[in-house]
Amino acid sequence: MKKAYIFPGQGAQFHGMGQALYESDKKAKDLFEQANEILGFRISDIMFSGTEEELKQTKVTQPAVFLHSVIAYLVQPDLVPDMTAGHSLGEFSALVAAGALSFEDGLKLVARRADAMQKACELNPSTMAAILGLEDAKVEEVCAGITDEVVVPANYNCPGQLVISGSIAGIDKACEAMKAAGAKRALVLQVGGAFHSPLMEPARQELQEAIEQTEFREPVCPVYQNVDAKPYTDPVKIKENLINQLTAPVRWTQTIQNMVADEAASFTECGPGNVLQGLVKKINKESVTAGIN
């Protein structure tokens, strides 16, 4: 049976993240210091002792979660993944873990992605909402019925939990309609913008240029990508899927289902928090889960 390694996305950050790694492992410390140099500011200081407000800035959050996840993975001795996947931002971590991207290039792309997404958010004030207790098909139907605003399914997290994304007016309208359709909750999230929606198109275009100029190698194992939940090893296809990821939904439910169908018996979450372990259990309660942080 196969071992899968999975990597969290934005939202997993917490005050003090990565500090234990930095203080207990020389390789981890060297990688954090290398990251400070690449980024041009001491992100490790913000991660270890910055305010919650500083940590919440997209330009900090995304590289911080990436660094904690990737360094936690890289300092483990003799890890050989059979497959990897990451939730949204976590897909970059999964690609580094599988050897498709170098640590340096992965970090540079994540920093560029964060910057591009921040600009797109400022261009179009927008938001997201979690819809709980409604079937995916019903959520899709409600979104499709709102034609005067942008509202789309964004994160298929697990059965009964789908996050939608769009304009502020569109999300407000959708939340009312979701409750009327029988949703247990429709909760507007504290996020900077409509991630994984057409409103991220300016960021997609900016990131496309950076991805196309970056060297991708064939990974040591299949990487299951967000856009269609399927496994890939061809660097050309991996790049294409990564470019489309910003405006397409994260198909996490389908990703875990496909990994289980391909004989993944254990899922190890690398990085801050344990949100993905919880989602895996909701998608397939037989799976064994663990964490490295």
Side-chain angles (χ1 to χ4, degrees), residues 207-225:
L207 193 62
Q208 176 171 359
E209 190 186 328
I211 287 171
E212 283 173 351
Q213 290 169 358
T214 301
E215 185 198 350
F216 281 65
R217 299 180 294 272
E218 189 173 325
V220 298
C221 66
V223 179
Y224 288 68
Q225 292 193 270

Side-chain angles (χ1 to χ4, degrees), residues 230-248:
K230 291 177 182 172
Y232 288 91
T233 54
D234 175 5
V236 174
K237 285 300 293 178
I238 286 172
K239 278 189 175 190
E240 195 180 300
N241 292 334
L242 206 53
I243 289 163
N244 292 330
Q245 192 223 55
L246 273 187
T247 51

